Amino acid sequence: MIRYERFFKLEANEEKSRLMMNAFGFLMHEKEKGISGYYNLPIDGENLLKEINSYIIQEDEVYQNAENIVVIGIGGSSLGAKAIDSMLRHKYNNLKKLLFLENPDPVSISKTLNRIKKHNSIFVVISKSGGTIETTSIFKTVLKEFDMDLKSEDAKRVLIISDEGSPLCKFADFYGIKAFTIPKNVGGRFSVLSSVGIVPLSLAGYDMRNVLKGAKHMIKRFFNSKEEHIAIKALYYCKNYQKTPINVLFSYADFLEDFTKWFIQLWAESLGKIDKDGKNVGLTPVAHIGSIDQHSFLQLIMQGPRDKTVTFIKVEDFENDLKIPDISLKYIEKTDYINNHTFNELINAECDATKESLVKEGIPVDTITLDKVNEENVGELIAYFELLTSYAGAIFDINTYDQPGVEFGKKILVKKFKGN
Ligand code: PA5
């Protein structure tokens, strides 16, 4: 269960009601016409899980011997799986390792390659477009490092995840490598609940059925108009984007750090656009971990420019009863008030205290409280942020799903290697 609370007001008026109705209608249209396909991923997931299961049965030996599932992908092709892995890993005992080869950083690539062997790894190459330079370069490096011959049995330890008909899918077809496709109408950063996230996470051993279930319920409730808080928050953010252009996500759990990176990509790449009137619009995501960043960034929020909103994510029950021991230390007795309390109590009280202090300052704050971390809550949280992003995009009247701005740099990069 997740609770959503808002500590700021959106004064209702006719214009706002009209904007909200239009945006809701727009999202409904996107869903029904298949303009954006992520709304249906939790339903389509059942077939995908069957396909993954057939692969596991067919490649039983390779699968049983694999200790590492190595994801080769970047951006929307890696951040979602990484986020879910970080959030849920501590709840499982028998998972395969999930490793990510994302950045063309020679030090981290070498470090990861040194940790694995060919015979105990499955390499999952993920790229929606099927030609991303970082991903293909790292894949080539893996093939060379492990002396892999794709015309041999080695092909069985490679999986491709890409759009149907993409260069990578054609490559898979050529070598008879198993390929899972991504629906064409699902954009990279909205693809975590497609094969992009479901395949590597299922292979690692996660129960993805319940993640999909959590997302499905959220999307269903949203389209049944039962999650109005999403609309109100999106509208508040968009209406005030010049006054409060920075949205801080303050998550009180270390295992949420990768989730906040996934959120940053989703929010920034989807909403930073040129609108239909030629105006640059967007909202700037910033992510922090509590209580660590109370000792750094919080000062700026409290007393710096009033240009931020803050969303707290809190986990009510960490299912861990580690306590602060009842020890009184000479000269630091003033900290004894916390003795015998759990760390779970401490971190949440810190979250509440920070929230209260910001609310008192009149800073727009909302909280998202997970009763605990489990698969369903993770699925719901993902769907919540995706819907919030789509809603904000509809209010801005932009294309939420493209990213023309990043293409310019890619063209310059090609010129740097190939010349004009
Ligand atoms: O959201 C997006 O579409 C992008 O950020 C992509 O995920 C990223 O560029 C990786 O692209 P690809 O999956 O095509 O390799």
Side-chain angles (χ1 to χ4, degrees):
M1 203 193 70
I2 304 187
R3 257 189 354 263
Y4 304 89
E5 289 164 289
R6 198 176 60 250
F7 301 91
F8 57 84
K9 276 208 182 85
L10 179 76
E11 304 298 343
N13 67 29
E14 239 175 71
E15 190 222 347
K16 284 176 188 152
S17 312
R18 185 180 47 76
L19 273 172
M20 271 163 69
M21 261 173 55
N22 286 353
F24 185 77
F26 188 80
L27 266 55
M28 188 70 107
H29 175 77
E30 276 186 352
K31 179 176 180 284
E32 282 172 2
K33 297 283 171 211
I35 295 165
S36 178
Y38 81 86
Y39 306 111
N40 295 321
L41 290 175
I43 298 161
D44 302 343
E46 224 18 78
N47 286 334
L48 178 60
L49 291 174
K50 281 189 199 142
E51 194 184 347
I52 297 168
N53 216 28
S54 309
Y55 162 78
I56 290 176
I57 293 167
Q58 197 183 324
E59 299 303 344
D60 185 56
E61 203 185 319
V62 171
Y63 184 69
Q64 298 308 333
N65 290 331
E67 291 163 25
N68 309 304
I69 306 299
V70 185
V71 171
I72 305 170
I74 196 164
S77 289
S78 65
L79 289 169
K82 205 172 183 183
I84 295 181
D85 184 41
S86 296
M87 283 191 276
L88 291 176
R89 183 156 288 263
H90 68 281
K91 306 212 51 159
Y92 287 75
N93 292 321
N94 296 318
L95 293 173
K96 295 181 190 290
K97 274 193 216 100
L98 205 46
L99 302 172
F100 293 86
L101 286 165
E102 303 168 276
N103 211 20
D105 170 339
V107 174
S108 31
I109 296 171
S110 305
K111 215 159 113 190
T112 305
L113 293 182
N114 283 337
R115 286 177 65 189
I116 59 176
K117 300 211 163 23
K118 179 171 79 174
H119 75 267
N120 67 8
S121 304
I122 293 179
F123 301 95
V124 190
V125 186
I126 313 180
S127 172
K128 183 169 170 67
S129 59
T132 300
I133 199 68
E134 293 92 336
T135 304
T136 53
S137 304
I138 296 174
F139 180 38
K140 289 175 192 171
T141 310
V142 164
L143 293 176
K144 175 145 190 295
E145 171 76 17
F146 297 114
D147 200 15
M148 287 172 79
D149 174 5
L150 294 177
K151 293 202 178 106
S152 75
E153 294 285 290
D154 284 352
K156 291 189 174 169
R157 47 187 75 261
V158 176
L159 285 176
I160 299 293
I161 300 180
S162 192
D163 266 9
E164 202 177 339
S166 77
L168 209 47
C169 265
K170 286 184 186 150
F171 162 86
D173 205 31
F174 182 78
Y175 285 103
I177 293 171
K178 169 73 188 159
F180 291 89
T181 54
I182 308 166
K184 282 242 163 30
N185 58 0
V186 174
R189 57 193 169 275
F190 286 83
S191 68
V192 52
L193 299 179
S194 74
S195 52
V196 169
I198 303 294
V199 170
L201 289 160
S202 299
L203 295 181
Y206 285 104
D207 163 18
M208 293 309 290
R209 186 163 276 116
N210 280 328
V211 175
L212 291 166
K213 190 169 150 198
K216 183 161 85 186
H217 287 163
M218 174 45 115
I219 293 171
K220 194 168 164 208
R221 286 196 308 268
F222 174 80
F223 282 108
N224 285 337
S225 302
K226 298 216 169 81
E227 300 286 346
E228 212 201 6
H229 59 99
I230 295 180
I232 294 172
K233 184 166 153 177
L235 186 59
Y236 183 91
Y237 280 13
C238 295
K239 282 300 259 175
N240 293 296
Y241 88 94
Q242 278 158 326
K243 197 171 134 222
T244 49
I246 302 170
N247 309 125
V248 180
L249 187 62
F250 222 133
S251 306
Y252 277 69
D254 289 339
F255 54 69
L256 288 172
E257 191 163 356
D258 285 322
F259 179 78
T260 66
K261 289 187 184 154
W262 171 83
F263 158 74
I264 284 181
Q265 187 212 11
L266 183 73
W267 201 241
E269 209 174 12
S270 301
L271 301 179
K273 299 281 161 66
I274 298 173
D275 75 4
K276 301 223 164 98
D277 302 323
K279 206 162 53 169
N280 298 92
V281 297
L283 287 158
T284 302
V286 171
H288 292 299
I289 293 295
S291 69
I292 296 171
D293 291 314
Q294 282 181 203
H295 301 267
S296 80
F297 201 86
L298 180 60
Q299 171 61 31
L300 179 69
I301 304 176
M302 277 296 278
Q303 295 191 325
R306 290 302 159 94
D307 54 0
K308 300 171 199 68
T309 67
V310 181
T311 299
F312 290 98
I313 305 187
K314 179 178 153 189
V315 179
E316 221 154 45
D317 183 1
F318 279 71
E319 301 173 279
N320 181 317
D321 53 13
L322 187 67
K323 271 189 177 172
I324 297 121
D326 191 11
I327 299 174
S328 189
L329 297 171
K330 197 76 191 149
Y331 297 114
I332 45 176
E333 296 87 351
K334 69 170 188 185
T335 61
D336 289 355
Y337 69 91
I338 201 75
N339 290 0
N340 264 329
H341 287 277
T342 62
F343 279 96
N344 193 149
E345 286 177 280
L346 174 59
I347 197 166
N348 283 338
E350 293 196 282
C351 179
D352 293 342
T354 307
K355 182 206 86 194
E356 277 171 41
S357 65
L358 295 185
V359 171
K360 269 203 188 116
E361 286 297 310
I363 292 164
V365 166
D366 67 307
T367 59
I368 299 174
T369 309
L370 282 67
D371 61 345
K372 54 181 70 164
V373 170
N374 59 26
E375 290 78 2
E376 282 189 48
N377 281 347
V378 166
E380 175 172 334
L381 198 61
I382 287 169
Y384 165 84
F385 277 105
E386 289 179 336
L387 291 166
L388 184 70
T389 307
S390 290
Y391 213 107
I395 293 169
F396 274 145
D397 201 9
I398 53 171
N399 183 342
T400 310
Y401 309 105
D402 66 359
Q403 53 282 330
V406 300
E407 300 305 322
F408 303 132
K410 284 187 194 168
K411 285 188 186 130
I412 297 173
L413 178 76
V414 174
K415 277 191 199 153
K416 283 189 188 297
F417 285 95
K418 286 175 65 172
N420 287 313

